[in-house]
Amino acid sequence: MLFFTLAVLPALGQEQCSEPFVFQPVSTTNSIGWDKFPAFKLPFQLIYGGPRLGEAAFAPLQRGFSQLTRLRNDETSANKSQQAIDYYGVAYGLNQPWETLESPWGNDTALYRSQWENWLKAHSIGKDTLGRWFPGFSTLMLDYERVLETDPQILRLKANPQTPAQYRQLPDTDFLKTYKRDMVDLYAEAIRFLRQKGDFSGVKVTAYSDVPVRNTYLNVVGNSWQDWTTNLTRVNFLFKDSTETKIGGAFHEQLDFLQPSIYYYYDYPNPLAGDYLAYLLFQVEVNRNWSSKPVHPIAWMRYHDCCGSYPKFIQPFMAEASAIFPFFAGAKGLWLWEEPNFRDAERPMAAYEHFIHGLYRLSTFADMFEGTYELVAETPAPELMDKRLPVWRGVFKNNKLLVAAQNPYANDNEKTPLTVRYKNWSTQITLTGKETYLCKFDLSVIVGLEPESTAGLSVSPNPAFTHTTIQYTTANSPTVDVQLINLAGQLLKSQKVRTSSGAVQLEWDMAPFPTGLHIIRVQDGQKTAQKKLLITR
């Protein structure tokens, strides 16, 4: 029996790379050079919530973004579909237990409903024929952040005299269950009420950073990927149904998409800084695992204010990667956020330009993210982080594999060899420093990727030494195109042949062609048949 071995060849089948666009990052403060980049589009919901600094009207909408959170006076012509809005006052401003204690009990819900309706009125453009407010936006992010997330935190409410006695008297197990049930209902009530009072047809609703798995850098590697994706105790109770045995519940049902935050905590040279990219992937991938709702992460061009790096901007290569990698993890959108009206007179805002640059590079392959495509993830994010591995993810569509890769742990200009794989195909690429690699490979001619379509085709002898005979039977085509292709996708020989009573037979001289594995392909109208051919000496 003869076995064929598919060798790994450098950049096998490579078709196209998105090379970096040459631009000079801004060096002055409080400006972003949108006009440095050509206009481009992407097939995602991309929301721009960053600073508006005097650029041309609607500039973000011409560079990949689909919606704005803040409109300027010269953008009043924007329609509802172009505006998203973030509502920060959902649980604030009324000095109620929900705000002061993060408790669902003892709240005057009538006050909250009045506040919610006043907010909706202020952000609407009149009422519809049913008396409901007509929102002036098509995407709404509610920022709650008033919930106790762990059992020990919740149980401390039992000792608080502001907690109604009927709850303080409950056994711990019942106290926890009641808190979680009532808090889920309170979270859901805000969205239910807004939907009731407003015409929310065509409006998508999400909640800031409220997702099934809300996490920090420090415990991602503490559990296996299997544990993260199968152990229900890892899931935030806001996203469990009333039985707490599966994903669901009133709050989850009210959300149109999920919005994990992919903020970063540590700047280089902190040894944890390089974990940022695996952390990004983790946030998107683990939440996609638990819920069928689309995931649209929220990104920030600064470091989180927890750990000493705030308010610095993230590194340029981090900003660019943050614009590219979420979509390789399965994100369907992204919200680029900044503190409202925030300005930093000490630091140029070049990070925003590097993010735009990432989107621009991604737009080269926009078609790969349209329709149906397959995500390729060889190594789970916790393992990438734990072993400090270079990161790669792929998107496969129509026999093309788009690869994004970066080594966030590399030194400047360090060369990192990396093997990327899809099924039986593999090749080695080389990463430079922390640059993002973005290239597409044509795998349509790679042997072993898919089962051969050999109907009506025979090739003999195989292996071929000097000659081989190709026979093919067709149903109705008067001519067929017979091709010899190598593993790099190069066409070595092509011959159009007239059929005789539906049959083709020809003998080819193999002597001029190099040894190794090839493909005999027959193009028969809309059909294709192909077989492996080994040339040897």
Side-chain angles (χ1 to χ4, degrees), residues 267-279:
D267 194 9
Y268 290 79
N270 188 297
L272 295 176
D275 294 344
Y276 88 92
L277 187 51
Y279 180 70

Side-chain angles (χ1 to χ4, degrees), residues 343-357:
R343 299 289 185 274
D344 187 346
E346 298 178 0
R347 298 174 181 84
M349 293 187 171
Y352 278 93
E353 296 182 2
H354 289 288
F355 187 91
I356 300 164
H357 179 229

Side-chain angles (χ1 to χ4, degrees), residues 80 120 123-138 191-205:
K80 171 182 173 177
L120 181 59
H123 294 85
S124 294
I125 50 178
K127 287 187 175 183
D128 65 12
T129 57
L130 299 177
R132 297 179 301 174
W133 296 106
F134 192 75
F137 50 84
S138 59
I191 306 177
R192 278 196 299 252
F193 180 83
L194 290 171
R195 291 188 190 278
Q196 175 188 350
K197 292 296 182 179
D199 179 2
F200 270 56
S201 57
V203 177
K204 296 180 180 179
V205 180

Side-chain angles (χ1 to χ4, degrees), residues 252-401:
H252 179 259
E253 292 172 0
Q254 290 294 331
L255 299 174
D256 294 301
F257 62 91
L258 303 180
Q259 193 176 59
S261 58
I262 53 173
Y263 300 165
Y264 310 130
Y265 299 89
Y266 304 101
D267 194 9
Y268 290 79
N270 188 297
L272 295 176
D275 294 344
Y276 88 92
L277 187 51
Y279 180 70
L280 178 160
L281 296 175
F282 174 83
Q283 290 286 355
V284 177
E285 291 170 350
V286 76
N287 285 296
R288 284 187 59 249
N289 173 83
W290 282 109
S291 174
S292 60
K293 306 241 183 213
V295 174
H296 298 205
I298 183 167
W300 192 16
M301 292 295 94
R302 302 179 190 271
Y303 294 98
H304 194 276
D305 59 6
C306 73
C307 306
S309 295
Y310 177 84
K312 289 196 302 183
F313 286 100
I314 62 177
Q315 297 286 339
F317 61 86
M318 298 171 71
E320 181 173 311
S322 297
I324 294 173
F325 279 89
F327 307 104
F328 285 82
K332 296 297 185 181
L334 185 144
W335 191 307
L336 182 58
W337 180 82
E338 179 61 273
E339 297 177 21
N341 302 314
F342 189 91
R343 299 289 185 274
D344 187 346
E346 298 178 0
R347 298 174 181 84
M349 293 187 171
Y352 278 93
E353 296 182 2
H354 289 288
F355 187 91
I356 300 164
H357 179 229
L359 293 180
Y360 175 74
R361 291 187 66 194
L362 191 64
S363 71
T364 304
F365 306 109
D367 62 304
M368 291 292 291
F369 297 92
E370 296 172 339
T372 301
Y373 53 89
E374 177 187 348
L375 300 173
V376 182
E378 181 181 53
T379 306
E383 185 177 343
L384 293 171
M385 186 182 294
D386 188 33
K387 297 179 179 178
R388 298 171 64 85
L389 299 174
V391 174
W392 79 272
R393 289 291 188 264
V395 169
F396 183 79
K397 177 184 176 183
N398 295 337
N399 285 325
K400 304 293 195 301
L401 179 67

Side-chain angles (χ1 to χ4, degrees), residues 89-165:
V90 184
Y92 291 87
L94 297 176
N95 199 34
Q96 294 286 301
W98 191 9
E99 178 178 355
T100 59
L101 302 178
E102 300 186 13
S103 169
W105 302 311
N107 293 286
D108 187 337
T109 54
L111 285 178
Y112 278 113
R113 292 190 184 102
S114 177
Q115 178 168 279
W116 296 334
E117 184 165 11
N118 286 335
W119 178 90
L120 181 59
K121 175 182 178 181
H123 294 85
S124 294
I125 50 178
K127 287 187 175 183
D128 65 12
T129 57
L130 299 177
R132 297 179 301 174
W133 296 106
F134 192 75
F137 50 84
S138 59
T139 304
L140 170 62
M141 175 179 70
L142 301 178
D143 187 358
Y144 293 86
E145 297 191 90
R146 305 312 301 161
V147 62
L148 300 172
E149 297 184 6
T150 68
D151 289 356
Q153 291 172 336
I154 296 169
L155 287 173
R156 284 197 286 270
L157 282 178
K158 289 190 73 175
N160 192 308
Q162 294 185 58
T163 300

